[in-house]
Amino acid sequence: MRFLQKYTFLLALLVLVSPIFAEEHAAEETVPPVKKYVEFTLDGTYTDTKTVGTFGASSTKTLRGLFKKLDTLKTDDEIAGIIFKIDNVGVGWATLQEIRNKLHEFREVEKETIGYLESGGNAEYLLAAVMERVVLMPTGSLNLTGLRAEILFYKGLLEKLDIEADMLAMGKYKSGVEPYMRDGMSDAFRESMTVLLDDLYAQLLDHIAENRDGIPAEGVSDLVNRGPFTAEEAQQEKLVDALQYYDELLDTLKTASPDEDVQVVKPDYERKRKVPDMNSFAGLMQLFSMLNPPQRSRTATAENQIALIYANGPILPDVDSLFPSTSVIMPNELKGAFEKVRTNDTIQAVVLRVNSPGGSALASDLIWREVMLTQREKPVVVSMGDVAASGGYYIAMAAGTIVAHPSTLTGSIGVFGGKLNMKGFYNKVGLTKEIISHGQNATLYSDYGGFTPTERERVEKMMQTVYKDFVSKAAAGRNKSFGEIDEIAQGRVWTGKQAKALGLVDELGGLDTALSIAKEQAGFADDDEVNLIVLPKQKPFLEELLERMVEDMEGSIQLEDWKIGRLEGWGFRPSLLPAFHSVFGARWQYVVTWLSLFGFKDGAQVVTILPYDVLIR
């Protein structure tokens, strides 16, 4: 009897409790699936290599670093879409196209992409237009205004300082001397720039038409002529899909998927690192560790290696840089990189990434020699960035294959040279020189006067020789005759698209395209895993800092005194360099190159360099 009562009690308890378990089980089954969006910020400048700033923090965002992050998002199956917040992008045309091409890859994996703009110009909109949906803040604006070319001329400034630029140029379109000797463009310079801008503008219109289905290709030009646009006008013209504040966009995503748990998260790599405690020894050690990160080690016997050699900035002779924070190209550094490629049997091919307006003709030839010697032994593929013109093209033309973006500035096969006559400036500030010379042309390199007739004749002869050598080597590298290259040389600048049609470039594409070609030429299969070796090896910040401190103590006093003495001799105080940088802005690299080539040593050089760059805003 007692057993029966106990059994009945347990049965009743089970009947009462079972609905609760059933409800909990049902609740577990009805948990909505997670739909994850990642918020990704595209802003600022993306460079090929990291730089250490002298006058402040430089951008440390690299193009390869950006692409690695995008590849991670692209292959993450847990991510349903990406919201790209695009703002204040400062990159060149070719870099912009390279990023656009990378963003296009998201369509292949069927991930939803949304471009969000608070406001935007040409660059920001061209990136956003790649997305499936473009959202603009209701009070924002779309500054789609077309393109313009602005060339800064220094002749008036030099005249006020009583400085004369005594320059000569080889090539009808070699306009490098014009900003220093003219108040405006020559007819040839204007013709070259107009044709260049025509092609870049056509590419801009094509980019808009190919990404916005609601805008007919034939109407894009008229549309741009009516810009800039208010937010409402941009939506009416179908340039954007919606006008929303960012929180409204997030609400829309959640409303569109009521049966899913919509989550918007930041990428894992954006987690903030804890700031070291500078008041403790452990904190100081942590700081040193952050500044001097451990280098990834590779086994010496690793197979299937391809070297990636970066050549960024103006091309200068092998001297200590006056401005160490500026990226420059010097022969000895690249010579070491190419020698390593040639002597290392595990490296099967090399990609040379060139982003340079040129510089010293002599330094360019030394680098060309290294490329040529390497090409004889292993495949060399050049990837051109925003600009690979003048000396930048010189160092590329010995490669077996040249890859450029449609908007890369390239060509400019021509030279110019001369010197700065500082006599008037010296006299203005109370300095005079007495010169005793032996030899008809002994004062050729003096900065206390212009060229004499015989000196000018010798300089012109040297420049003609350099130009003919430039054209001859380009003809050999491109398998063309001297006449064929001379016709398209003359210092003429071309876009990558034009250069391919002329035979100066082999393929259109970015760094990924060049790496794929190098892999194929090295004999690797598509599914072979390849190790990428980046050269020249960048030193950690702390190591670079310590080396500079040692150099300063051991022997740079004379060099620095020479540099600073020359600047102060011009009435220029080194303490003004940061202000000088802020005044010249984006043209800083050209000012640095000009000072390095014509302001020091003998004061006369034969160079091949662009006097301008083209940025998209």
Side-chain angles (χ1 to χ4, degrees):
M1 184 68 177
R2 183 173 297 176
F3 172 78
L4 183 60
Q5 289 177 343
K6 187 174 182 180
Y7 177 79
T8 304
F9 173 76
L10 291 175
L11 182 62
L13 183 62
L14 180 62
V15 172
L16 291 173
V17 173
S18 59
I20 298 176
F21 285 122
E23 288 178 6
E24 290 181 355
H25 183 66
E28 291 177 0
E29 290 182 346
T30 57
V31 172
V34 174
K35 186 175 185 180
K36 183 188 296 184
Y37 287 85
V38 170
E39 176 190 295
F40 192 97
T41 301
L42 273 174
D43 65 352
T45 301
Y46 295 91
T47 59
D48 278 335
T49 57
K50 295 182 179 181
T51 58
V52 179
T54 299
F55 305 131
S58 297
S59 170
T60 57
K61 295 188 293 187
T62 64
L63 202 58
R64 286 185 65 231
L66 170 65
F67 289 172
K68 287 179 180 179
K69 295 173 183 177
L70 293 177
D71 284 338
T72 299
L73 296 179
K74 187 177 65 175
T75 56
D76 190 339
D77 295 333
E78 295 183 358
I79 297 174
I82 303 96
I83 305 172
F84 289 95
K85 299 180 73 174
I86 306 170
D87 180 48
N88 196 26
V89 176
V91 297
W93 264 99
T95 301
L96 188 78
Q97 287 183 327
E98 197 152 2
I99 296 174
R100 279 174 53 86
N101 292 342
K102 197 68 180 178
L103 295 175
H104 266 294
E105 296 178 6
F106 280 93
R107 299 194 175 189
E108 302 172 3
V109 295
E110 298 182 349
K111 292 187 186 296
E112 184 180 1
T113 54
I114 302 169
Y116 184 79
L117 301 171
E118 291 182 353
S119 281
N122 294 318
E124 290 78 17
Y125 182 70
L126 288 181
L127 291 177
V130 181
M131 314 301 172
E132 296 175 34
R133 192 181 351 160
V134 181
V135 180
L136 179 64
M137 194 171 78
T139 55
S141 60
L142 192 60
N143 296 311
L144 198 61
T145 57
L147 302 180
R148 72 180 185 276
E150 293 183 358
I151 308 298
L152 188 61
F153 290 83
Y154 307 108
K155 181 185 176 184
L157 173 63
L158 295 179
E159 287 178 346
K160 290 181 183 298
L161 297 174
D162 275 345
I163 299 174
E164 178 190 359
D166 200 349
M167 302 285 169
L168 301 92
M170 295 292 112
K172 176 183 177 182
Y173 298 97
K174 194 62 182 176
S175 55
V177 300
E178 292 194 15
Y180 310 97
M181 300 184 68
R182 294 176 60 94
D183 297 316
M185 296 182 185
S186 66
D187 291 340
F189 191 6
R190 186 176 300 279
E191 174 194 346
S192 176
M193 283 300 300
T194 300
V195 172
L196 190 72
L197 204 64
D198 286 346
D199 190 47
L200 293 176
Y201 185 61
Q203 292 182 38
L204 180 144
L205 299 180
D206 289 342
H207 288 327
I208 296 174
E210 71 185 14
N211 290 121
R212 300 301 297 174
D213 295 335
I215 302 176
E218 60 276 7
V220 178
S221 179
D222 179 63
L223 181 62
V224 173
N225 286 337
R226 299 202 304 272
F229 302 94
T230 65
E232 290 185 359
E233 290 172 337
Q235 186 179 31
Q236 291 170 2
E237 299 292 350
K238 300 181 179 179
L239 290 167
V240 302
D241 300 292
L243 304 180
Q244 294 176 316
Y245 290 99
Y246 192 67
D247 61 292
E248 292 177 326
L249 169 61
L250 301 185
D251 290 339
T252 301
L253 295 177
K254 295 175 182 179
T255 304
S257 303
D259 298 330
E260 296 175 296
D261 179 16
V262 177
Q263 299 179 3
V264 179
V265 301
K266 292 184 180 295
D268 293 338
Y269 58 80
E270 286 194 8
R271 294 173 181 169
K272 294 183 178 180
R273 300 178 67 174
K274 185 177 179 181
V275 178
D277 180 9
M278 302 299 293
N279 295 319
S280 68
F281 178 77
L284 289 174
M285 291 299 99
Q286 184 182 352
L287 176 63
F288 284 136
S289 177
M290 293 169 63
L291 294 175
N292 193 33
Q295 301 297 299
R296 295 179 181 177
S297 60
R298 292 185 182 274
T299 58
T301 58
E303 300 295 335
N304 294 2
Q305 294 189 139
I306 290 179
L308 173 58
I309 297 179
Y310 282 107
N312 290 324
I315 302 172
L316 303 179
D318 286 310
V319 296
D320 286 348
S321 175
L322 173 65
F323 307 100
S325 64
T326 304
S327 294
V328 297
I329 303 169
M330 295 186 186
N332 271 348
E333 190 174 41
L334 288 192
K335 180 179 180 180
F338 279 107
E339 285 181 343
K340 182 173 182 177
V341 168
R342 293 197 298 271
T343 57
N344 190 331
D345 293 335
T346 66
I347 299 177
Q348 307 300 320
V350 57
V351 172
L352 174 62
R353 173 72 169 188
V354 180
N355 214 328
S356 172
S360 165
L362 179 64
S364 298
D365 191 67
L366 289 171
I367 298 170
W368 167 87
R369 174 76 178 172
E370 293 301 318
V371 176
M372 184 269 294
L373 292 175
T374 307
Q375 175 62 40
R376 288 178 178 177
E377 299 184 22
K378 300 177 181 182
V380 178
V381 181
V382 165
S383 169
M384 292 181 169
D386 292 322
V387 55
S390 295
Y393 187 80
Y394 199 122
I395 67 176
M397 61 190 182
T401 306
I402 298 177
V403 180
H405 279 285
S407 59
T408 296
L409 301 186
T410 188
S412 191
I413 301 172
V415 299
F416 71 89
K419 65 177 180 177
L420 295 177
N421 176 5
M422 306 294 296
K423 181 177 180 179
F425 180 76
Y426 287 155
N427 293 342
K428 175 176 285 191
V429 297
L431 299 174
T432 57
K433 284 186 181 183
E434 285 194 19
I435 300 175
I436 300 175
S437 63
H438 292 285
Q440 183 174 249
N441 301 323
T443 59
L444 189 151
Y445 296 115
S446 172
D447 64 357
Y448 204 64
F451 293 125
T452 67
T454 57
E455 289 171 351
R456 184 177 298 278
E457 183 272 330
R458 296 313 303 161
V459 171
E460 188 170 359
K461 177 67 174 178
M462 289 189 294
M463 290 175 56
Q464 288 174 346
T465 301
V466 174
Y467 176 73
K468 289 179 181 178
D469 191 45
F470 195 165
V471 174
S472 297
K473 289 174 177 175
R478 297 283 87 203
N479 295 317
K480 293 182 178 292
S481 68
F482 182 94
E484 287 176 316
I485 293 296
D486 187 41
E487 183 179 354
I488 59 178
Q490 301 294 324
R492 185 75 175 263
V493 183
W494 306 100
T495 65
K497 180 181 177 182
Q498 294 167 334
K500 184 177 185 301
L502 296 170
L504 295 175
V505 165
D506 299 297
E507 300 289 343
L508 295 180
L511 182 58
D512 286 347
T513 303
L515 289 170
S516 297
I517 294 173
K519 184 177 178 180
E520 179 182 352
Q521 292 182 357
F524 297 139
D526 290 339
D527 56 350
D528 283 344
E529 184 176 348
V530 176
N531 295 319
L532 198 62
I533 308 299
V534 179
L535 300 171
K537 182 181 177 182
Q538 283 193 296
K539 298 175 182 177
F541 172 79
L542 186 59
E543 182 180 343
E544 182 81 14
L545 182 63
L546 291 175
E547 283 190 5
R548 287 180 184 170
M549 291 172 63
V550 172
E551 289 172 359
D552 286 343
M553 290 186 291
E554 290 184 347
S556 66
I557 294 178
Q558 180 181 357
L559 176 67
E560 296 303 320
D561 285 349
W562 162 64
K563 291 176 178 177
I564 294 174
R566 175 60 65 89
L567 285 174
E568 291 179 337
W570 293 352
F572 188 88
R573 297 196 308 274
S575 60
L576 295 178
L577 286 173
F580 195 60
H581 179 274
S582 65
V583 170
F584 283 92
R587 293 197 51 79
W588 177 241
Q589 67 170 331
Y590 295 106
V591 176
V592 170
T593 305
W594 190 264
L595 290 174
S596 299
L597 294 174
F598 297 104
F600 308 118
K601 284 194 169 182
D602 294 325
Q605 297 281 345
V606 177
V607 303
T608 174
I609 188 170
L610 281 180
Y612 57 84
D613 55 2
V614 176
L615 300 176
I616 180 170
R617 292 287 184 261

